[in-house]
Short mmCIF file of all heavy atoms in Angstrom, two decimals:
data_model
loop_
_atom_site.label_atom_id
_atom_site.label_comp_id
_atom_site.label_asym_id
_atom_site.label_seq_id
_atom_site.Cartn_x
_atom_site.Cartn_y
_atom_site.Cartn_z
N VAL A 194 -0.33 7.85 11.16
CA VAL A 194 -1.21 8.98 10.82
C VAL A 194 -2.60 8.79 11.42
O VAL A 194 -3.14 9.68 12.07
CB VAL A 194 -1.29 9.16 9.29
CG1 VAL A 194 -2.37 10.18 8.92
CG2 VAL A 194 0.06 9.61 8.73
N LEU A 197 -2.52 9.00 15.39
CA LEU A 197 -2.39 10.34 15.96
C LEU A 197 -3.65 11.16 15.74
O LEU A 197 -4.08 11.89 16.63
CB LEU A 197 -1.17 11.05 15.35
CG LEU A 197 0.20 10.42 15.66
CD1 LEU A 197 1.31 11.22 14.99
CD2 LEU A 197 0.45 10.31 17.16
N ILE A 198 -4.25 11.03 14.56
CA ILE A 198 -5.49 11.78 14.30
C ILE A 198 -6.61 11.31 15.22
O ILE A 198 -7.31 12.13 15.82
CB ILE A 198 -5.91 11.65 12.82
CG1 ILE A 198 -4.90 12.39 11.92
CG2 ILE A 198 -7.32 12.23 12.61
CD1 ILE A 198 -5.16 12.20 10.43
N MET A 207 -1.24 11.72 22.61
CA MET A 207 -0.77 11.01 21.42
C MET A 207 0.40 10.10 21.78
O MET A 207 1.33 10.51 22.47
CB MET A 207 -0.34 12.01 20.34
CG MET A 207 -1.49 12.83 19.78
SD MET A 207 -0.91 13.96 18.48
CE MET A 207 -2.48 14.67 17.95
N GLU A 253 7.38 15.58 14.98
CA GLU A 253 6.97 16.73 14.17
C GLU A 253 5.58 16.51 13.58
O GLU A 253 4.75 17.42 13.54
CB GLU A 253 7.98 16.98 13.05
CG GLU A 253 9.30 17.58 13.49
CD GLU A 253 10.31 17.64 12.37
OE1 GLU A 253 10.32 16.77 11.49
OE2 GLU A 253 11.12 18.60 12.37
N LEU A 254 5.33 15.28 13.14
CA LEU A 254 4.01 14.95 12.60
C LEU A 254 2.93 15.15 13.67
O LEU A 254 1.87 15.73 13.40
CB LEU A 254 4.00 13.51 12.10
CG LEU A 254 2.65 12.99 11.60
CD1 LEU A 254 2.24 13.69 10.30
CD2 LEU A 254 2.70 11.47 11.39
N ALA A 255 3.22 14.68 14.88
CA ALA A 255 2.26 14.83 15.98
C ALA A 255 2.00 16.30 16.30
O ALA A 255 0.86 16.70 16.59
CB ALA A 255 2.77 14.09 17.22
N GLU A 256 3.03 17.12 16.22
CA GLU A 256 2.86 18.56 16.48
C GLU A 256 1.99 19.21 15.41
O GLU A 256 1.13 20.05 15.71
CB GLU A 256 4.25 19.22 16.53
CG GLU A 256 5.05 18.85 17.77
CD GLU A 256 6.53 19.22 17.65
OE1 GLU A 256 6.97 19.64 16.56
OE2 GLU A 256 7.25 19.08 18.66
N ILE A 257 2.20 18.81 14.15
CA ILE A 257 1.39 19.37 13.05
C ILE A 257 -0.07 18.98 13.21
O ILE A 257 -0.98 19.82 13.07
CB ILE A 257 1.93 18.88 11.69
CG1 ILE A 257 3.31 19.48 11.40
CG2 ILE A 257 0.95 19.24 10.56
CD1 ILE A 257 4.02 18.85 10.21
N ILE A 258 -0.32 17.72 13.53
CA ILE A 258 -1.71 17.25 13.69
C ILE A 258 -2.37 17.94 14.88
O ILE A 258 -3.54 18.35 14.81
CB ILE A 258 -1.74 15.72 13.81
CG1 ILE A 258 -1.35 15.08 12.48
CG2 ILE A 258 -3.13 15.23 14.26
CD1 ILE A 258 -1.19 13.57 12.53
N SER A 259 -1.64 18.11 15.97
CA SER A 259 -2.18 18.81 17.14
C SER A 259 -2.61 20.22 16.77
O SER A 259 -3.69 20.69 17.15
CB SER A 259 -1.15 18.87 18.27
OG SER A 259 -0.83 17.57 18.73
N LYS A 260 -1.76 20.88 15.99
CA LYS A 260 -2.06 22.26 15.58
C LYS A 260 -3.30 22.29 14.69
O LYS A 260 -4.18 23.16 14.85
CB LYS A 260 -0.85 22.85 14.85
CG LYS A 260 -0.98 24.33 14.53
CD LYS A 260 0.31 24.87 13.94
CE LYS A 260 0.18 26.36 13.63
NZ LYS A 260 1.42 26.93 13.04
N LYS A 261 -3.41 21.34 13.77
CA LYS A 261 -4.55 21.30 12.85
C LYS A 261 -5.85 21.00 13.60
O LYS A 261 -6.93 21.45 13.19
CB LYS A 261 -4.32 20.28 11.74
CG LYS A 261 -3.31 20.74 10.69
CD LYS A 261 -3.30 19.83 9.49
CE LYS A 261 -2.43 20.43 8.40
NZ LYS A 261 -2.98 21.72 7.89
N LEU A 262 -5.75 20.23 14.66
CA LEU A 262 -6.94 19.90 15.46
C LEU A 262 -7.23 20.96 16.52
O LEU A 262 -8.22 20.85 17.25
CB LEU A 262 -6.76 18.54 16.12
CG LEU A 262 -6.72 17.33 15.17
CD1 LEU A 262 -6.42 16.06 15.95
CD2 LEU A 262 -8.03 17.17 14.41
N ASN A 263 -6.32 21.94 16.60
CA ASN A 263 -6.47 23.03 17.57
C ASN A 263 -6.54 22.51 19.00
O ASN A 263 -7.39 22.91 19.80
CB ASN A 263 -7.72 23.88 17.25
CG ASN A 263 -7.68 25.23 17.93
OD1 ASN A 263 -6.60 25.77 18.20
ND2 ASN A 263 -8.85 25.78 18.24
N LEU A 304 -3.05 16.11 5.01
CA LEU A 304 -3.54 15.93 6.38
C LEU A 304 -4.90 16.59 6.56
O LEU A 304 -5.76 16.06 7.28
CB LEU A 304 -2.53 16.48 7.39
CG LEU A 304 -1.28 15.63 7.63
CD1 LEU A 304 -0.32 16.35 8.57
CD2 LEU A 304 -1.65 14.25 8.19
N ILE A 308 -7.86 14.37 7.95
CA ILE A 308 -8.52 14.74 9.20
C ILE A 308 -10.02 14.93 8.98
O ILE A 308 -10.83 14.46 9.78
CB ILE A 308 -7.87 16.02 9.79
CG1 ILE A 308 -6.48 15.69 10.36
CG2 ILE A 308 -8.75 16.63 10.88
CD1 ILE A 308 -5.65 16.90 10.72
#
Side-chain angles (χ1 to χ4, degrees):
V194 171
L197 296 180
I198 292 174
M207 294 181 176
E253 287 173 328
L254 176 69
E256 289 166 353
I257 292 170
I258 291 173
S259 296
K260 187 174 181 180
K261 286 191 172 296
L262 293 175
N263 197 28
L304 284 176
I308 287 169

